[in-house]
Amino acid sequence: MLENFLSDPVAVERRRAGELGPYLDSFTATVSELGYARSTVRERLRVLAELERWLQRKHLAVGALDEQVVKQFLDKRRRQGRLRRCASRTVHHFLEHLREKG
């Protein structure tokens, strides 16, 4: 599914190899099925890449992702003036997706 939104095969494999990688194809399929435009799905993938890098810097695994961790991530982005418009919806939707996947 990532191949439908990322044109570089190396980028696709790099994303799949990351901490969030095992969940990206199913998340991408979910938001795609909801009718989001290609550009919106790509933006959501960028937000999740930022989240993944932030988790790595904090030495947190995906299993630590909860509302409090999401709030810390969003607060940090807000303080930096780098909070993207859809970031909050994206990370909360992703957290919900993770919970549904167990």
Side-chain angles (χ1 to χ4, degrees):
M1 182 54 80
L2 286 177
E3 294 87 350
N4 297 340
F5 300 96
L6 301 174
S7 57
D8 180 5
V10 174
V12 170
E13 291 311 311
R14 187 173 51 240
R15 295 301 306 276
R16 284 188 177 134
E19 180 79 18
L20 303 182
Y23 313 99
L24 292 178
D25 279 300
S26 60
F27 180 74
T28 302
T30 298
V31 294
S32 181
E33 289 168 7
L34 290 173
Y36 285 98
R38 178 181 163 89
S39 61
T40 303
V41 175
R42 288 176 60 109
E43 177 63 22
R44 286 180 172 235
L45 288 171
R46 280 190 285 275
V47 169
L48 293 178
E50 292 171 6
L51 174 63
E52 185 172 58
R53 287 189 295 273
W54 183 83
L55 289 169
Q56 288 171 344
R57 286 192 302 274
K58 295 290 186 180
H59 304 288
L60 295 172
V62 68
L65 199 56
D66 62 13
E67 284 82 4
Q68 183 60 35
V69 171
V70 165
K71 182 181 181 323
Q72 291 173 10
F73 169 71
L74 295 172
D75 287 348
K76 173 79 169 174
R77 304 302 287 182
R78 189 175 294 110
R79 284 192 308 274
Q80 294 173 331
R82 299 176 60 204
L83 186 59
R84 292 190 174 157
R85 191 174 184 186
C86 71
S88 179
R89 281 179 295 189
T90 297
V91 295
H92 283 101
H93 191 188
F94 186 68
L95 181 58
E96 181 181 313
H97 179 77
L98 291 175
R99 287 183 174 140
E100 288 173 3
K101 297 298 177 188

